[in-house]
Structures are given as structure tokens and as C-alpha cells.
């Protein structure tokens, strides 16, 4: 797929990496006050807001001024991606890895792998749906 070799996809990865770091790191803070599953969900919301703002500004700036529509579509796409992130984080971080390592390390690794799982799907949906450029005229 030609899109995955584009400058735009590279920017998407950089922005996504920044949002993923915000998500991953905030999970530790949330984890201090709530169970792992809830912390993953709250951290996802943090990452989603960071990702929306950075994608709109740096990756898809030509998408137009319709902030409300873009945000609602962004939330819809990320709700779909969240199912994958949460499932992977729970499977790997809460079920598989704790058999072989300390639970805190397993949670950190499982959540990190979960965050990375929907990258290509998210890019395609955001490009073609969330931030789709409107035809001029």
C-alpha cells in the first residue's frame, strides 16, 4: 500500500508515538488509584485527545475547519480501535505475561503492545473518514 510509504504516514507515526507515550505514561498514574483495566481505559482517553489535536494540526491540516465533525469521527474510529487495544492489553498484560514475569512489568508490556496494535487500521480510517478532505467546489 503506497500510503504506508508516504510522508503523511511517517508524520502519523510520529504523532501517534507522542500520543502513545502520553497514553502509556498516564496509565501508570491512573494505575496508582484504580485497577489495571480501568487505568488502561482512562489512559486511552488521554492518548486520544493528544492524538486528535496533533493529527489535526500536523498530519491532516488540509481536512478543513469542521472541528466538531472531525472530533466525533475521531472518537468513533478510536472507539473501534479501543476494543483492540484493551483486548490485547488484557490478553497479553493480564493473562499471558504474568505467568512469566512480575505483574507490573507484564502490565506495562501488555499495554504497550496493545497501544501499537491498531496503527495501520487507525491511519487508514482517519485518512479516509475522520479527516477526509472535502472536494472544492
Amino acid at each position: 500500500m503506497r500510503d504506508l510509504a508516504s510522508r503523511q504516514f511517517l508524520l502519523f507515526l510520529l504523532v501517534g508515538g507522542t500520543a502513545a507515550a502520553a497514553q502509556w505514561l498516564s496509565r501508570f498514574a491512573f494505575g496508582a488509584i484504580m485497577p489495571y483495566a480501568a487505568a488502561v481505559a482512562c489512559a486511552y482517553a488521554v492518548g486520544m485527545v493528544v492524538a486528535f489535536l496533533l493529527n489535526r494540526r500536523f498530519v491532516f491540516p488540509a481536512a478543513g475547519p469542521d472541528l466538531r465533525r472531525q472530533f466525533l469521527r475521531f472518537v468513533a474510529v478510536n472507539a473501534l480501535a479501543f476494543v483492540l487495544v484493551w483486548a490485547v492489553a488484557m490478553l497479553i498484560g493480564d493473562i499471558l505475561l504474568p505467568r512469566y514475569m512480575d505483574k507490573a512489568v507484564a502490565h506495562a508490556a501488555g499495554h504497550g503492545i496493545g497501544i501499537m496494535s491498531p496503527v495501520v487500521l487507525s491511519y487508514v480510517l482517519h485518512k479516509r473518514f475522520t479527516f477526509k478532505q472535502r472536494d472544492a467546489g
Side-chain angles (χ1 to χ4, degrees):
M1 180 180 214
R2 199 173 65 206
D3 282 350
L4 300 181
S6 69
R7 179 179 185 276
Q8 187 178 45
F9 184 66
L10 177 61
L11 286 171
F12 183 80
L13 291 176
L14 291 171
V15 161
T18 303
Q23 181 183 160
W24 191 73
L25 291 171
S26 68
R27 203 264 316 151
F28 290 100
F30 288 122
I33 59 172
M34 61 184 66
Y36 177 65
V40 168
C42 290
Y44 192 83
V46 169
M48 189 171 63
V49 170
V50 170
F52 176 76
L53 295 172
L54 294 177
N55 272 301
R56 189 170 195 282
R57 171 78 169 99
F58 297 108
V59 182
F60 304 105
D66 196 349
L67 180 68
R68 184 175 183 271
R69 169 181 257 148
Q70 290 169 8
F71 186 73
L72 291 174
R73 288 180 174 197
F74 194 85
V75 169
V77 167
N78 279 283
L80 176 66
F82 174 72
V83 173
L84 181 58
V85 169
W86 193 84
V88 169
M90 293 303 108
L91 176 65
I92 294 173
D94 213 29
I95 296 171
L96 297 177
L97 291 181
R99 296 176 183 176
Y100 308 104
M101 62 183 63
D102 177 72
K103 193 164 189 157
V105 175
H107 281 173
H111 186 219
I113 294 166
I115 289 170
M116 293 184 289
S117 63
V119 170
V120 173
L121 173 67
S122 292
Y123 174 70
V124 170
L125 290 175
H126 287 317
K127 180 178 177 142
R128 303 220 168 123
F129 177 67
T130 305
F131 298 107
K132 182 178 178 183
Q133 288 182 255
R134 294 191 181 243
D135 295 331

